[in-house]
Amino acid sequence: MGKALIIGAGGVASVAIHKCCQNPEVFEEICIASRTVEKCEAIKNKLAGNRTIIHTAQLDADNTEQVIDLIKSFQPDIVINLALPYQDLTIMDACLATGVDYLDTANYEPPDIAKFEYKWQWAYREKFAEAGLTALLGSGFDPGVTGVFCAYAQKHYFDEIHSIDIVDANAGDHGYPFATNFNPEINIREITATGRYYENGSWIETDPLSVKKVYDLPEIGPKNIYLMYHEELESLAKNIKGVKRIRFWMTFSDNYLNHLRVLENVGMTSIEPINFEGQQIIPLQFLKAVLPDPASLGPRTKGKTNIGCIIQGIKDGKPKTYYVYNICDHQECFAEVGSQAISYTTGVPAMIGAMLMLQGIWKKPGVFNIEEFDPDPFMEALNKWGLPWQESFSPTLLD
Ligand code: NDP
């Protein structure tokens, strides 16, 4: 059916590429392009023998001209951006210059400061609309599947949605006393940021990790969940009409937070350079060097993730509650594609979003967040491609 240019060769890209190769009718030919071409070649070699034809290319996606040249030579039908959030705009510019559809899994971030805002990418709406091109933003899990879950609830179960609580739980255990699932610098920055949620048209700020509850999650059990800001809150507040409150919660164990607190207290999470025996070092970078490499956690992580949306509202004049969630097992993911559940739950939805765009099922001119498309084909594909979901109509609610 089509050709996809996949930019990035990290954890998420590796899963998405495995899934494209399981789906050769749609992904006939792909090109894996990234900064370190050896990583692209390693993925290609692992998947040799599949029907999908795989090419590789070295690419600095910060350079729009390089992306344009590669698009011109490979002639893809879609560009799947699985590099880092810093590359979103250069890649969108290249898509506009060459007339190709675009998909990503994370909002654009200016390199110097974490913002978690869509404004830069939403500013491309008219340009994509005028060019007759589709840009799908945030086709991972959160953002991604969580937005599809909300659109599905709105379409099938509610006349009015009043509140949404997104709960992201990871009960995976890698056996180390302390390690981060992804880049420690980004992880620590996210966790120590101010919390924020949407209520009655305003954004309410909370001190970092100051709002904590216990929630009993299916197949995982009771866990401490902490209120945090997450980027999909911004688009859902606009796109789920009439919603009064949206919050995002994530699990952290006491052990994890204790280690983090000690590291912060002794200055190891600082990004201010210090002089150590005549050498300038940044404590957080030194800490990253002594911590386990997140990529090495895959083979040793046991347990499950559970990510879902608890929704409250009105149907036919009566109050209604709904909980829709996916449970993913770290070891099963590793056995299937060689990555743990964090990359798996992002790489599978990236493939599904791209598949629906290539099939012409999700195709409209402009820049869209995922909840702006018909959720039904995506929900069906989640069941088929490894992220089956479950629903309950009597969940415990978060007050
Ligand atoms: P990794 O760090 O594992 O991989 C990133 C890849 O991008 C690497 O291969 C890296 O190359 C490549 N890259 C970085 N800069 C450039 C550049 N300038 N040009 C070309 N390639 C570049 O990250 P993940 O796979 O974990 O994450 C990928 C994306 O998915 C991120 O944007 C992340 O925020 C997002 N994400 C979204 C989630 C969701 O649920 N929506 C959840 C998790 C992640 P190199 O190998 O040389 O470093």
Side-chain angles (χ1 to χ4, degrees):
M1 178 169 294
K3 286 166 80 171
L5 170 61
I6 299 177
I7 302 182
V12 173
S14 172
V15 173
I17 295 160
H18 275 77
K19 287 288 169 179
C20 290
C21 289
Q22 290 176 15
N23 193 359
E25 286 77 26
V26 173
F27 297 92
E28 286 175 330
E29 208 173 330
I30 60 175
C31 176
I32 314 167
S34 192
R35 191 165 49 186
T36 313
V37 74
E38 291 75 20
K39 290 193 188 172
C40 308
E41 278 156 10
I43 300 173
K44 177 183 168 175
N45 293 339
K46 208 171 150 196
L47 288 161
N50 279 282
R51 261 171 60 204
T52 302
I53 300 162
I54 305 178
H55 309 267
T56 59
Q58 201 279 328
L59 176 72
D60 176 4
D62 287 324
N63 182 329
T64 305
E65 290 307 315
Q66 274 195 29
V67 186
I68 291 175
D69 288 346
L70 181 59
I71 293 176
K72 282 186 177 160
S73 74
F74 181 59
Q75 302 268 316
D77 302 296
I78 185 170
V79 174
I80 305 176
N81 169 15
L82 303 176
L84 296 176
Y86 315 120
Q87 282 83 49
D88 288 4
L89 300 186
T90 47
I91 299 174
M92 288 176 86
D93 284 331
C95 285
L96 279 171
T98 51
V100 181
D101 289 337
Y102 169 90
L103 175 150
D104 67 29
T105 63
N107 70 286
Y108 168 73
E109 286 293 338
D112 45 340
I113 179 160
K115 286 283 188 189
F116 307 111
E117 282 179 32
Y118 278 113
K119 67 173 181 216
W120 293 281
Q121 290 181 279
W122 285 346
Y124 280 68
R125 272 182 190 143
E126 275 177 21
K127 286 187 199 160
F128 270 76
E130 279 162 16
L133 296 174
T134 306
L136 168 57
L137 308 184
S139 190
F141 206 104
D142 43 346
V145 176
T146 50
V148 175
F149 283 168
C150 292
Y152 185 75
Q154 187 175 45
K155 180 173 175 184
H156 295 283
Y157 296 127
F158 289 93
D159 296 326
E160 288 170 33
I161 289 185
H162 291 169
S163 77
I164 301 171
D165 282 296
I166 301 170
V167 181
D168 178 336
N170 178 11
D173 181 4
H174 43 61
Y176 288 120
F178 183 79
T180 58
N181 278 316
F182 57 100
N183 187 304
E185 202 178 324
I186 294 172
N187 187 211
I188 289 166
R189 192 163 66 169
E190 190 175 276
I191 295 167
T192 50
T194 300
R196 198 162 15 133
Y197 66 96
Y198 176 83
E199 191 160 48
N200 296 323
S202 319
W203 292 97
I204 295 158
E205 296 204 336
T206 58
D207 287 337
L209 306 181
S210 61
V211 184
K212 169 187 166 185
K213 292 183 189 292
V214 176
Y215 195 72
D216 193 356
L217 291 131
E219 290 191 40
I220 284 185
K223 287 275 172 282
N224 290 336
I225 57 171
Y226 294 83
L227 190 137
M228 287 175 57
Y229 182 70
H230 223 241
E231 67 199 63
E232 68 263 47
L233 301 187
E234 186 185 13
S235 69
L236 289 171
K238 282 194 195 318
N239 293 327
I240 303 296
K241 300 290 171 229
V243 67
K244 294 182 172 60
R245 188 181 69 190
I246 315 186
R247 299 178 297 187
F248 183 94
W249 306 85
M250 197 177 265
T251 54
F252 298 105
S253 69
D254 288 345
N255 174 55
Y256 183 90
L257 294 177
N258 284 340
H259 275 80
L260 193 63
R261 212 164 286 132
V262 172
L263 291 167
E264 267 186 307
N265 287 343
V266 299
M268 281 308 297
T269 60
S270 167
I271 53 169
E272 288 298 318
I274 57 157
N275 189 303
F276 178 71
E277 295 185 352
Q279 230 186 323
Q280 289 285 101
I281 63 164
I282 293 172
L284 183 55
Q285 287 180 358
F286 180 76
L287 173 64
K288 186 179 166 194
V290 295
L291 285 175
D293 174 3
S296 70
L297 303 178
R300 39 186 302 148
T301 306
K302 299 188 173 85
K304 292 174 180 174
T305 60
N306 176 335
I307 317 175
C309 301
I310 305 162
I311 301 172
Q312 244 185 323
I314 302 282
K315 180 73 180 173
D316 298 330
K318 292 191 198 118
K320 179 160 185 157
T321 57
Y322 177 61
Y323 180 26
V324 53
Y325 56 93
N326 161 262
I327 289 170
C328 199
D329 184 292
H330 285 285
Q331 285 187 301
E332 283 173 17
C333 297
F334 194 78
E336 184 193 328
V337 298
S339 305
Q340 32 80 329
I342 308 296
S343 303
Y344 191 90
T345 51
T346 311
V348 173
M351 182 284 283
I352 293 173
M355 172 183 78
L356 295 177
M357 287 169 72
L358 284 173
Q359 290 171 328
I361 298 171
W362 276 15
K363 176 93 188 122
K364 50 186 179 182
V367 175
F368 299 98
N369 293 90
I370 201 160
E371 64 273 10
E372 295 177 87
F373 287 92
D374 178 9
D376 291 357
F378 200 102
M379 290 294 273
E380 203 182 309
L382 284 170
N383 285 332
K384 179 169 178 194
W385 294 103
L387 292 176
W389 44 275
Q390 301 174 55
E391 51 189 5
S392 138
F393 294 89
S394 54
T396 309
L397 296 174
L398 287 158
D399 54 22

